[in-house]
Amino acid sequence: MTNNILEMRNITKTFPGVKALQDVSIEVQRGHIHAICGENGAGKSTLMKVLSGVYPHGTYDGDIVFENETVAFRNINDSEAAGVVIIHQELALSPYLSIAENIFLGNEQQKGGWIDWNQTNLEAGKLLARVGLKDNPITKIMDIGVGKQQLVEIAKALSKEVKLLILDEPTAALNDEDSAHLLDLMKHLKGQGITSIIISHKLNEIKAIADEVTIIRDGKMIETLDLDAGAVSEERIIKGMVGRDLESRFPDHTPHIGEELLRIENWTVHHPLDHERVVVDHANLSVRAGEIVGIAGLMGAGRTELAMSVFGRSYGHNISGKVFKRGVEIDTRTVSAAIEHGIAYATEDRKRYGLNLIDDIRRNISAAALDSLAKAGWVDANQEVVVAEKYRKSMNIKAPNVEVLTGKLSGGNQQKVVLSKWMYSNPDVLILDEPTRGIDVGAKYEIYGIINRLAEEGKGVIVISSELPELLGICDRIYTLSEGRITADVPRSEATAERVMQFMTQEREKDHV
Amino acid sequence: MSVLTKSDAPPTSRTRSALNYLAGQLRQIGLFIALIVIVAFFQIAEVLTGLGGITLRPINVSNLIVQNSYILILAIGMVMVIIAGHIDLSVGSVVAFVGAVAGVMITQWHVPWWAAIILCLVLGALVGMWQGFWIAYFKIPAFIVTLAGMLTFRGLTQITLQNEQISPFPTEFRALGSGFLPSLGFIGGQFETLTITIGVVATLLLVVQGIRQRAARRKYNVEDEPFPWFLAKLVFTAALILFVSFLLASYNGTPIVLIVLGVLVVVYSAVMARSVFGRHIYAIGGNLNAAALSGVKTQRVTFLLFVNMGVIAALAGLVFTAQLNLANPKAGDGFELDAIAAVFIGGAAVTGGIGTVTGAIIGGLIIGILNNGMSILGVGTEYQSLIKGLVLLAAVAFDVYNKRRSGGR
């Protein structure tokens, strides 16, 4: 008999058109801290959702053996009853309720249908002591910091008599002090016999606390490395995370790079709600005519926040720094000012921020430059059709005419509408945030072709992407972003997956002390 | 995956594409058919119950237009507000407040009637600026701001009138609500000449505009409306206008308020369909975030939208006051709900982004005819309210069902 608390055997999970997990097996030893590593979209979170019953038994193939019994969780209640508790990246606490109320939410301390408040607060106090939190249990969640909220989540898990605790990126939103406290707590819980699975991008943290690390890449289990045995370097883990074949999935592109178009200096952005938190930290970057520049960074590194704060201050609080266009400082405080200065930003979430899904292709394409179709406030609808038709043909938008609602198009065609909209605004610099997210391979190739064409027309293109191979395949230069700071500016000739990933995971200096 | 992604799909047979087109227009057609069915129902019911066909008598048609005019005017402003994803609960109180101010100005301060009208429209703009400020720039939901407005403007009305009614108003002012265009003699001793002329000119303009638009759309190769359907629609609308103008011509002629209403419908339909301002309203209602990130000045548009609503509510208040020849502290009570119901019966989406001015007008007419017909048949007010409620629910349920069937827009 092994000492495994959990074995997941040959897990395969398919979504329409995508194999998210393919034959993944993983063994977790009792009383250990087991780390799971992988790029964005590798399938880590999917695997944990399979384990915790978010994707119920029957929607995936393979077996889950927990405490030597094959289990079939139908929902999260089943898995929690068995002692598997998952704490998600976005905390699931109710801000207006007290700590104690949150801990016992759905599991109220009751007598015959009436809540026993004394019992609730007493038990909550005991649980808080176990996670090293001294706050009064009747404090409201909104009045404590995000670090403490994370601890409340763990206390809540303890109240459910957790045997296997899963933490999804627990330190992503925490400052250094809170992170250190959390990691200490995990070691402490290990001492009490609680097994943990931690998903993290922060390799130094993993090395500090985990006993084993399993690497997942493209929905497949690559390897499990034993960290206790020592001699596993961060480079070794990175190699496992990125080591995939770079097929020729990218159209050829010969850069003709000209003058500098846009330069951003000392750009600092604070979180819109948590005003203390620095999301982008003194970033400097530039793009030249005909150049495709990538921004690489892991989830939460501040990529989108950087782009949106530049584009009309659409994100953030207390923004400082300067933006230069062809060497002249410009004002980009509103979206319309940014557009007038020739900046375009195509959002990462086309459905929520990019398109009016209940309106047609024609009116979506003209949305950012309606004034150029209008005389004295009246839109020339016929000219608008001509413009939209031009883009429908040149961008190969697959729709019978431009009166089709964008909500009925496929992801790739929606993205082409978004790109058309911004091309029609006639920008000098286009910032494309995840331009190929959620679209199929064929359409991706077309999008890369469009990006190349834009560069050949002498525009500067900034591409933000979670897919490292994509950036390596199309960019002339890649900035790496980690925790809001630009950690490197890597030219194409030096850009390898390992090197870029190393800069993407580079922590602040003091973390290494 | 929709079939639309195959652009090279073989052309379907003609009848099928026509049927598909009609299926797409179901809501619009349904609204027209509902209007006709309701009119026919009352006409027949009146004949069967021995009252004679009152609904389509010239005097009744004239009264229908005049008595519903202020709700229809409000519906025009309301549909714009609702398309942008907001709501305005204050318009009933604004109607009363403007009526009260007009009363005080004209009867106590002896302001000339035309100056009073202009000042009252300015007052409406100020009311809209007040509410628009809180909604657009202070980010308080329109529901709350206009609920507060409903109370405050009702209060201001009572203060202005010192809880008393003001009457009478000068004839010139009353003409705005209940006057008719002067008669230019009669054709065949029966039909008033000016009304017939207006009807014929309007019909001609409609036909010319329809043909021009179709020609332009064909030229740009975006026409998907089958020709028989285009023709049927044109003939039907032309016949309707001519029919109504003949009915009006055989009574008192053209109500002045009908001209006001007609101008508003034409202007605001164009604004919503073709102006940058109108398109920004649809963009905001369809996806506020996407609109903001496309450079739409969302706050300014929202502010102007409520200023516009204020002016329209003021106009409705003037028409209503002129019609009753009375400024009354209780005036306009519940008007906001009639206007909102008209907009939703007219096919606007509760979530914003969808709706038309003509839809709202037809929705308002349906409510008006239901009120009128049921009163003629002697249906009690309790049943009238019940039936109107069910009609509203059925209209919106039809929309929701339609949307789900077509896979959601």
Side-chain angles (χ1 to χ4, degrees), chain A residues 355 363 377 379 384 386 421, chain B residues 220 222 274 276 279 287 290 294:
Chain A
L355 293 169
R363 286 191 276 262
V379 180
E384 184 180 33
V386 174
K421 166 168 106 175
Chain B
Y220 288 98
V222 291
R274 292 195 36 230
V276 172
R279 297 279 295 274
N287 187 340
S294 299

Side-chain angles (χ1 to χ4, degrees), chain A residues 281-292:
Chain A
D281 191 357
H282 295 91
N284 291 296
L285 62 101
S286 67
V287 58
R288 288 169 289 177
E291 191 178 33
I292 304 173

Side-chain angles (χ1 to χ4, degrees), chain A residues 10-129:
Chain A
N10 310 101
I11 303 290
T12 297
K13 168 79 189 163
T14 359
F15 294 109
V18 194
K19 240 181 192 165
L21 292 173
Q22 208 175 338
D23 218 11
V24 173
S25 297
I26 175 170
E27 294 179 5
V28 179
Q29 289 187 46
R30 190 180 303 278
H32 278 203
I33 297 178
H34 193 112
I36 297 181
C37 264
E39 279 190 290
N40 299 335
K44 299 162 295 189
S45 294
T46 309
L47 185 67
M48 291 305 108
K49 283 179 180 165
V50 166
L51 172 57
S52 58
V54 173
Y55 299 134
H57 181 76
T59 61
Y60 58 87
D61 295 322
D63 291 318
I64 300 175
V65 178
F66 185 66
E67 302 240 69
N68 299 318
E69 276 178 39
T70 304
V71 290
F73 298 140
R74 286 162 303 171
N75 51 43
I76 234 169
N77 290 342
D78 278 6
S79 62
E80 288 191 348
V84 178
V85 178
I86 183 162
I87 297 177
H88 291 281
Q89 204 174 344
E90 300 87 21
L91 300 178
L93 297 172
S94 175
Y96 305 112
L97 298 181
S98 72
I99 295 177
E101 285 171 297
N102 267 287
I103 288 178
F104 292 108
L105 196 62
N107 177 28
E108 284 79 6
Q109 301 292 298
Q110 53 173 323
K111 277 183 194 141
W114 298 92
I115 292 180
D116 183 342
W117 287 111
N118 294 329
Q119 183 73 9
T120 300
N121 292 329
L122 184 73
E123 292 297 324
K126 287 185 196 163
L127 291 164
L128 290 183

Side-chain angles (χ1 to χ4, degrees), chain A residues 91-277:
Chain A
L91 300 178
L93 297 172
S94 175
Y96 305 112
L97 298 181
S98 72
I99 295 177
E101 285 171 297
N102 267 287
I103 288 178
F104 292 108
L105 196 62
N107 177 28
E108 284 79 6
Q109 301 292 298
Q110 53 173 323
K111 277 183 194 141
W114 298 92
I115 292 180
D116 183 342
W117 287 111
N118 294 329
Q119 183 73 9
T120 300
N121 292 329
L122 184 73
E123 292 297 324
K126 287 185 196 163
L127 291 164
L128 290 183
R130 280 182 73 189
V131 298
L133 208 55
K134 294 184 188 71
D135 293 71
N136 190 329
I138 62 170
T139 312
K140 293 207 178 358
I141 287 294
M142 58 191 272
D143 295 330
I144 62 175
V146 71
K148 286 183 177 177
Q149 291 178 8
Q150 188 73 261
L151 298 178
V152 171
E153 281 273 20
I154 293 174
K156 186 176 175 181
L158 294 176
S159 79
K160 293 170 185 162
E161 296 182 8
V162 60
K163 291 172 190 156
L164 175 63
L165 182 65
I166 304 165
L167 296 140
D168 190 355
E169 300 272 3
T171 60
L174 302 191
N175 61 30
D176 299 336
E177 198 189 331
D178 287 340
S179 299
H181 185 90
L182 184 79
L183 298 178
D184 277 348
L185 175 64
M186 287 184 69
K187 281 195 211 166
H188 182 68
L189 292 174
K190 179 182 164 185
Q192 297 178 2
I194 293 174
T195 313
S196 304
I197 293 178
I198 176 171
I199 297 176
S200 180
H201 288 310
K202 298 189 180 173
L203 302 183
N204 61 337
E205 288 179 6
I206 290 174
K207 281 199 65 181
I209 64 160
D211 299 295
E212 292 92 22
V213 54
T214 293
I215 297 168
I216 295 182
R217 186 206 308 152
D218 294 341
K220 295 181 197 125
M221 206 283 271
I222 303 303
E223 56 192 342
T224 297
L225 303 169
D226 188 346
L227 295 169
D228 287 343
V232 177
S233 65
E234 289 185 20
E235 287 73 22
R236 176 70 189 78
I237 300 175
I238 289 173
K239 186 161 177 287
M241 281 163 68
V242 299
R244 84 182 102 184
D245 310 326
L246 274 180
E247 303 147 34
S248 67
R249 292 180 297 170
F250 306 99
D252 286 333
H253 159 61
T254 323
H256 301 281
I257 294 173
E259 55 160 353
E260 177 188 276
L261 287 177
L262 190 76
R263 185 168 82 244
I264 294 158
E265 277 185 5
N266 261 325
W267 199 255
T268 300
V269 180
H270 293 80
H271 194 275
L273 301 177
D274 183 358
H275 292 180
E276 299 295 304
R277 209 162 109 207

Side-chain angles (χ1 to χ4, degrees), chain A residues 199-457:
Chain A
I199 297 176
S200 180
H201 288 310
K202 298 189 180 173
L203 302 183
N204 61 337
E205 288 179 6
I206 290 174
K207 281 199 65 181
I209 64 160
D211 299 295
E212 292 92 22
V213 54
T214 293
I215 297 168
I216 295 182
R217 186 206 308 152
D218 294 341
K220 295 181 197 125
M221 206 283 271
I222 303 303
E223 56 192 342
T224 297
L225 303 169
D226 188 346
L227 295 169
D228 287 343
V232 177
S233 65
E234 289 185 20
E235 287 73 22
R236 176 70 189 78
I237 300 175
I238 289 173
K239 186 161 177 287
M241 281 163 68
V242 299
R244 84 182 102 184
D245 310 326
L246 274 180
E247 303 147 34
S248 67
R249 292 180 297 170
F250 306 99
D252 286 333
H253 159 61
T254 323
H256 301 281
I257 294 173
E259 55 160 353
E260 177 188 276
L261 287 177
L262 190 76
R263 185 168 82 244
I264 294 158
E265 277 185 5
N266 261 325
W267 199 255
T268 300
V269 180
H270 293 80
H271 194 275
L273 301 177
D274 183 358
H275 292 180
E276 299 295 304
R277 209 162 109 207
V278 177
V279 184
V280 179
D281 191 357
H282 295 91
N284 291 296
L285 62 101
S286 67
V287 58
R288 288 169 289 177
E291 191 178 33
I292 304 173
V293 174
I295 297 182
L298 294 164
M299 206 87 82
R303 303 164 305 188
T304 298
E305 292 81 355
L306 169 63
M308 284 183 69
S309 59
V310 170
F311 189 66
R313 315 233 153 154
S314 305
Y315 171 90
H317 173 84
N318 191 13
I319 298 166
S320 60
K322 290 178 176 176
V323 183
F324 297 89
K325 172 92 177 292
R326 294 197 173 98
V328 182
E329 187 172 356
I330 55 168
D331 171 14
T332 61
R333 268 178 300 185
T334 64
V335 173
S336 43
I339 293 173
E340 267 167 44
H341 284 297
I343 304 174
Y345 169 70
T347 147
E348 63 174 333
D349 189 339
R350 5 169 223 283
K351 294 193 173 175
R352 277 180 61 201
Y353 296 110
L355 293 169
N356 181 353
L357 296 171
I358 58 175
D359 212 340
D360 58 20
I361 295 173
R362 161 165 77 118
R363 286 191 276 262
N364 270 285
I365 287 180
S366 65
L370 203 51
D371 284 334
S372 59
L373 280 170
K375 280 192 196 111
W378 295 93
V379 180
D380 183 343
N382 293 328
Q383 188 56 33
E384 184 180 33
V385 172
V386 174
V387 168
E389 274 295 336
K390 190 186 96 189
Y391 282 104
R392 183 176 75 88
K393 294 198 179 94
S394 69
M395 301 286 272
N396 194 23
I397 297 168
K398 295 194 181 81
N401 58 50
V402 295
E403 316 256 295
V404 175
L405 301 183
T406 53
K408 298 201 170 183
L409 300 175
S410 69
N413 286 306
Q414 287 181 344
Q415 188 64 17
K416 290 179 197 168
V417 174
V418 172
L419 291 177
S420 304
K421 166 168 106 175
W422 288 115
M423 284 161 74
Y424 183 58
S425 77
N426 196 24
D428 298 312
V429 176
L430 289 101
I431 307 172
L432 310 180
D433 199 348
E434 300 283 2
T436 65
R437 174 178 284 176
I439 66 184
D440 61 59
V441 180
K444 276 187 183 179
Y445 192 87
E446 284 185 74
I447 302 281
Y448 300 140
I450 292 164
I451 293 173
N452 285 344
R453 226 162 65 207
L454 288 167
E456 276 150 28
E457 287 168 16

Side-chain angles (χ1 to χ4, degrees), chain B residues 32-77:
Chain B
F32 261 109
I33 292 177
L35 185 65
I36 295 168
V37 166
I38 290 169
V39 171
F41 170 81
F42 283 121
Q43 186 75 7
I44 292 167
E46 285 151 15
V47 172
L48 292 182
T49 50
L51 293 164
I54 297 175
T55 294
L56 287 178
R57 276 192 196 155
I59 179 171
N60 192 54
V61 170
S62 187
N63 284 343
L64 250 175
I65 292 167
V66 170
Q67 286 164 8
N68 287 294
S69 55
Y70 40 89
I71 295 293
L72 297 178
I73 291 171
L74 286 175
I76 293 171

